[in-house]
């Protein structure tokens, strides 16, 4: 399929120039017109639902059920942004009246409102072929506010990307919108991504992927002659702290919920709990036993693809050499292609704090149970954490005093803070915030999911002294 | 005065550690308590008004009148932020109720609100010893939302910085607030600034100064193991476009207003118009004549200090070799110390576009009149501009069609866009936006002046499933 060939540097430059040229016409469309473009995109995707899911299933092994749910959520987000684009409340218009009699000088009127920032480069994730890809929140929120978008397709689901892009192109044509307000480029080679983020016509980058990838791109962006905002949503540890009474309350239920969260979609979730911190006491052995019981009850799911599988094996094999394994599954490759075997480790808090490499995200269904000897060690673990998308705290009334000490520390480490709950699986709503301090993201002040995702792509301009119709 | 000695690297580390340690206690103060701290700071400054102005006058030569006005504005901004801190509307609380009956899983409640980002390092400007320095908008907006602040004093007005810092320290003690929520460090040597921006306990940097300084710091911040937001407000060209009828209407008045804007506070304003773009026609000679007349009428003011003077001489001497001088003043150093002699240059648009070095800010009362031969050349100049804090457009009804073509281009280049007005001298209000695309600032989405300046220093956190009183 020659259309999926890597873009050459010249093709990238051309795409970026076309995006820049389309910025003027695209940003001056009415909110209603951009809204109808998004509606059309949503309709096209709904209309090709079955084909898209089949294509994505061939490329990701995520399963039809999960892909179906993801597609529904993706479409509903597009529709939410269509509504948002139509209302144009995002312009956040602020007005100061003129005061011609002010001393010593007359005051002109001032109108400040937000405008789109310019062409946005979107580099999506491997684990959400619909929701964090070609028509994910990054693309749709940028289009909603009038930014042209250039998506770099994901090599592991390039055909899904192309099929969706074809639908978007049809929608653009039928809606009579600027041809190049949306473009897709393919790139197995990192060179394509490099060319995109270094292109002078890019105004903002939105990336979802690994810490290593995010760091490399961050460095490239910092070297640009004219810097632009670079937003990366990267790996995250998502530490869960469980206080003594909360564990003692129902060891079986807690172990089951923990494993369900670790193994959700084979652990390939940016909010998978990678560490579970408890304080050793009389209920610890029973809890660890329940975990190994629960591991046996879990279903092993296929990982996204062979490279994710190899990477997961390598990471968890390295962890196995450093710490005790509470339990693991052993499905082999003849039974399930690229099996996501669960591996739950355990180690003392002191060792956990001393070996930062254990704290990096293992992309797949593994997690570490960290055993603190006492309250102060638990607080130390909390303080030693890096930034994360989420932190969770399980506590009962009797755990109150320790909980009160942990809350400010954990809140300072994350973008979403859960009380008696595990992080994966949130439906986007008005209070959605998906971000967190480095290394969870490059800028904790923004979100990449939910309606506020557009805030990365707008900037205020104040018009001073303009007549009503200049 | 030994207290103005450069901080050692150990002292910087200690200050940053103390700032971090005070973050917890400071952010948990009530809005009312932080508000009363700001009120006390404002009172202290008002109480020492005369001494502060005298000290600043000795260090900056800005003149008592201007310094008095600046101090009044600074105090009124502190009072505005005191009100802002008390109301706590900045938290922008958003709530989603729980839905225990939701299928397939119950929905927990979600509360998202903003929290302070952490210790903020403030590096102020040489040209505003009150408004963009120790208790300028950067410091005050950060304190208002609960971020501890570490100010690096400006070497050219270090005593003014110290005197203000002493007052802030008194206010902190009297208000019974955390001792290290505010600290001042001195540093003639760039090493002090380097240590500050690289310190692991810094969460955000706010800098106002030159492009060269901003670029150097930007590079240092990008090299941090954990990146943090770096906000720099730097040099700006502030291009003014004047269309034919607008020039023809009253050449004398326009020339006078132009020179007043160029020479305001000896041109040491970040919004000084550095380029005036016109289209050559029959009124051009008369306009250029009026400019040279007006130059003679202007009063020459002293520049801030000898290093600003030498730098201004060097920059304008270099420009003199490249283009024609319309007029200049020739006050010598015996008459006025560090005289800010006005120099207005002119050159054809084509040459202007071909020599990017002419487009950098000359800090002082100089400006370039750029002569375009026709409409398309004027549009070309607009398109070739880099980002700027402001752009201005002078147009009459008959200039409408060219104006309509220029407006979208100029708006894409600036943060404030003026119609028939020159940029300097704005009183902060609800619609204030002081920012702009690179190289005016490092992030066009934020402002460093006005109430919204606090947005750099907060981030959202979503609490999920928390009981009303955890």
């Amino acid at each position: 399929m020659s259309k999926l060939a890597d873009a050459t540097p010249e093709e990238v430059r051309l795409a970026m120039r076309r995006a820049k040229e389309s910025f003027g016409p695209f940003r001056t469309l009415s909110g209603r017109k951009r809204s109808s473009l998004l509606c059309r995109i949503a309709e096209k995707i709904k209309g090709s639902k079955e084909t898209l899911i089949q294509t994505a299933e061939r490329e990701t092994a995520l399963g039809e059920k999960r892909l179906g749910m993801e597609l529904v959520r993706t479409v509903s987000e597009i529709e939410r942004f269509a509504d948002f684009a139509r209302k144009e409340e995002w312009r956040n218009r602020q007005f100061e009246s003129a005061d011609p009699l002010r001393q010593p000088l007359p005051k002109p009127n001032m109108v400040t409102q937000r405008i789109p920032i310019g062409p946005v480069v979107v580099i999506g994730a491997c684990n959400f072929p619909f929701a964090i890809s070609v028509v994910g929140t990054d693309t749709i929120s940028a289009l909603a506010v009038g930014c042209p978008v250039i998506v770099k397709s994901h090599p592991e689901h390039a055909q899904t990307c192309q099929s969706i892009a074809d639908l978007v192109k049809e929608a653009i044509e039928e809606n009579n919108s600027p041809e190049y307000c949306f473009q897709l480029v393919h790139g197995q080679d990192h060179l394509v991504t490099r060319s995109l983020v270094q292109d002078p016509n890019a105004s903002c980058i939105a990336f979802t992927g690994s810490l290593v990838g995010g760091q490399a791109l961050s460095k490239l962006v910092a070297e640009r002659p004219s810097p632009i905002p670079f937003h990366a949503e990267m790996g995250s540890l998502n530490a869960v702290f469980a206080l003594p009474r909360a564990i003692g309350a129902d060891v079986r239920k807690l172990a089951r919920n923990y494993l369900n969260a670790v193994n959700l979609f084979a652990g390939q979730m940016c909010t998978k709990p990678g560490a579970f911190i408890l304080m050793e006491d009389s209920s610890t052995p029973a809890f660890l036993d329940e975990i190994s019981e629960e591991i046996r009850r879990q279903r092993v799911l296929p990982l996204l693809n062979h490279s994710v599988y190899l990477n997961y094996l390598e990471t968890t094999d390295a962890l196995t050499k450093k710490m005790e394994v509470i339990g693991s599954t052993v499905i082999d490759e003849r039974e399930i292609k690229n099996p996501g075997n669960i591996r739950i480790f355990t180690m003392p808090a002191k060792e956990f704090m001393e070996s930062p490499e254990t704290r990096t995200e293992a992309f797949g269904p593994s997690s570490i149970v960290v055993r603190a000897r006492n309250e102060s060690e638990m607080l130390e673990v909390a303080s030693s954490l890096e930034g994360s998308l989420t932190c969770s705290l399980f506590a009962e009334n009797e755990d109150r005093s320790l909980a009160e000490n942990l809350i400010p520390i954990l809140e300072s480490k994350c973008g979403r803070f859960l009380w008696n709950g595990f992080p994966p699986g949130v439906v986007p709503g008005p209070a959605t915030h998906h971000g967190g301090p480095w290394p969870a993201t490059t800028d904790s002040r923004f979100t990449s999911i939910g309606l506020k995702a557009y805030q990365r792509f707008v900037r205020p301009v104040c018009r001073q002294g303009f007549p009503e119709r200049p």
Side-chain angles (χ1 to χ4, degrees), chain A:
Chain A
M1 267 178 281
S2 67
K3 77 200 284 202
L4 302 191
D6 275 20
T8 63
E10 292 69 37
E11 284 165 343
V12 168
R13 264 199 297 280
L14 178 63
M16 293 305 304
R17 206 175 60 232
R18 284 172 165 166
K20 184 60 172 253
E21 285 164 5
S22 81
F23 180 40
F26 188 53
R27 63 167 285 213
T28 48
L29 292 187
S30 67
R32 190 172 292 274
K33 184 83 178 170
R34 275 200 298 272
S35 175
S36 72
L37 172 61
L38 296 184
C39 288
R40 256 173 219 271
I41 293 174
E43 278 161 30
K44 295 265 169 202
I45 290 172
K46 280 190 281 189
S48 300
K49 192 177 161 182
E50 277 74 32
T51 326
L52 289 175
I53 291 174
Q54 281 159 22
T55 310
E57 173 57 11
R58 273 199 304 277
E59 293 186 313
T60 66
L62 279 167
E64 287 187 21
K65 190 181 157 207
R66 142 75 195 262
L67 287 167
M69 280 164 50
E70 189 187 328
L71 191 137
V72 167
R73 173 184 142 181
T74 305
V75 168
S76 98
E77 282 299 279
I78 301 174
E79 288 166 346
R80 227 152 62 99
F81 272 104
D83 189 47
F84 167 89
R86 189 176 45 74
K87 288 183 188 148
E88 293 207 79
E89 284 163 7
W90 61 270
R91 294 218 178 253
N92 196 26
R93 194 170 181 276
Q94 304 209 262
F95 184 73
E96 286 180 45
S97 325
D99 179 1
L101 303 175
R102 190 182 65 175
Q103 289 301 330
L105 286 170
K107 181 190 168 166
N109 69 52
M110 319 265 281
V111 184
T112 298
Q113 59 179 2
R114 290 167 170 165
I115 64 169
I117 198 169
V120 173
V121 173
V122 171
I123 305 162
C126 62
N127 55 343
F128 282 89
F130 301 130
I132 313 183
S133 188
V134 177
V135 287
T137 307
D138 291 334
T139 298
I140 296 302
S141 62
L143 292 177
V145 297
C147 293
V149 172
I150 308 88
V151 177
K152 153 80 173 54
S153 88
H154 200 288
E156 299 289 355
H157 56 257
Q159 185 54 55
T160 307
C161 290
Q162 185 62 54
S163 303
I164 298 175
D166 291 344
L167 296 172
V168 176
K169 284 291 184 191
E170 281 175 32
I172 289 171
E173 203 183 330
E174 289 170 20
N175 198 58
N176 196 20
S177 295
E179 185 178 356
Y180 297 111
C181 69
F182 168 90
Q183 296 169 88
L184 178 74
V185 297
H186 293 282
Q188 293 252 347
D189 195 317
H190 289 319
L191 182 65
V192 176
T193 311
R194 292 178 69 105
S195 311
L196 283 166
V197 304
Q198 293 187 310
D199 195 279
N201 286 318
S203 292
C204 190
I205 318 282
F207 164 86
T208 308
S210 69
L211 178 58
V212 173
Q215 277 177 310
L217 291 180
S218 183
K219 200 156 165 274
L220 283 177
V221 174
E223 286 163 7
R224 289 172 57 102
S226 62
I228 55 174
F230 170 66
H231 290 281
E233 194 260 86
M234 301 170 292
S236 190
L237 185 68
N238 304 299
V240 174
F241 285 72
L243 305 196
R245 299 302 178 112
I247 294 203
D250 188 343
V251 284
R252 168 167 293 189
K253 186 177 157 202
L254 191 61
R256 189 196 318 132
N257 289 344
Y258 171 42
L259 263 296
N260 283 344
V262 170
N263 197 33
L264 184 67
F265 307 124
Q268 301 162 117
M269 298 284 285
C270 45
T271 54
K272 180 204 73 176
F276 187 104
I277 297 93
L278 52 76
M279 222 160 78
E280 287 209 274
D281 66 7
S282 55
S283 67
T284 307
F287 180 62
L288 298 185
D289 283 349
E290 284 297 339
I291 289 177
S292 52
E293 283 294 315
E294 183 56 38
I295 291 170
R296 282 192 284 274
R297 282 186 215 112
Q298 290 281 324
R299 213 179 114 213
V300 170
L301 302 166
L303 291 166
L304 282 167
N305 53 57
H306 200 60
S307 80
V308 165
Y309 171 70
L310 291 179
N311 186 52
Y312 178 66
L313 267 192
E314 193 188 331
T315 319
T316 50
D317 282 352
L319 293 179
T320 305
K321 288 185 191 115
K322 282 179 198 140
M323 54 189 110
E324 199 185 325
V325 179
I326 299 179
S328 60
T329 56
V330 282
I331 302 294
D332 82 4
E333 290 194 78
R334 282 160 304 185
E335 205 170 330
I336 295 179
K337 200 175 160 194
N338 305 320
N341 278 306
I342 300 164
R343 292 197 187 172
I344 307 294
F345 304 92
T346 184
M347 76 193 306
K350 194 159 173 294
E351 286 176 29
F352 178 74
M353 288 187 279
E354 282 163 1
S355 41
E357 72 284 4
T358 58
R359 288 187 268 164
T360 52
E361 188 194 23
F363 193 66
S366 86
S367 187
I368 305 171
V369 176
V370 178
R371 305 185 317 270
R373 283 170 308 180
N374 48 42
E375 297 201 356
S376 78
E377 213 175 60
M378 196 168 220
L379 289 165
E380 253 181 86
V381 173
S383 299
S384 77
L385 292 175
E386 292 184 293
S388 195
L389 291 169
T390 73
C391 284
S392 305
L393 180 57
F394 283 83
E396 294 287 318
N397 237 332
E398 298 85 344
D399 298 313
R400 187 183 202 87
S401 96
L402 179 53
E404 277 170 0
N405 288 327
L406 275 168
I407 286 173
I409 304 174
L410 295 181
E411 188 175 65
S412 77
K413 304 288 184 178
C414 69
R416 182 159 58 100
F417 189 11
L418 295 95
W419 179 264
N420 287 344
F422 286 96
V426 161
V427 178
T432 297
H433 178 67
H434 189 73
W438 174 271
T441 77
T442 45
D443 193 334
S444 64
R445 299 168 301 176
F446 293 90
T447 180
S448 55
I449 298 199
L451 278 185
K452 296 207 180 64
Y454 82 90
Q455 290 177 343
R456 296 168 295 172
F457 309 133
V458 294
R459 67 180 182 90
V461 172
C462 173
R463 285 193 179 197
Q464 178 177 326
F466 273 64
E468 277 304 294
R469 298 176 159 279

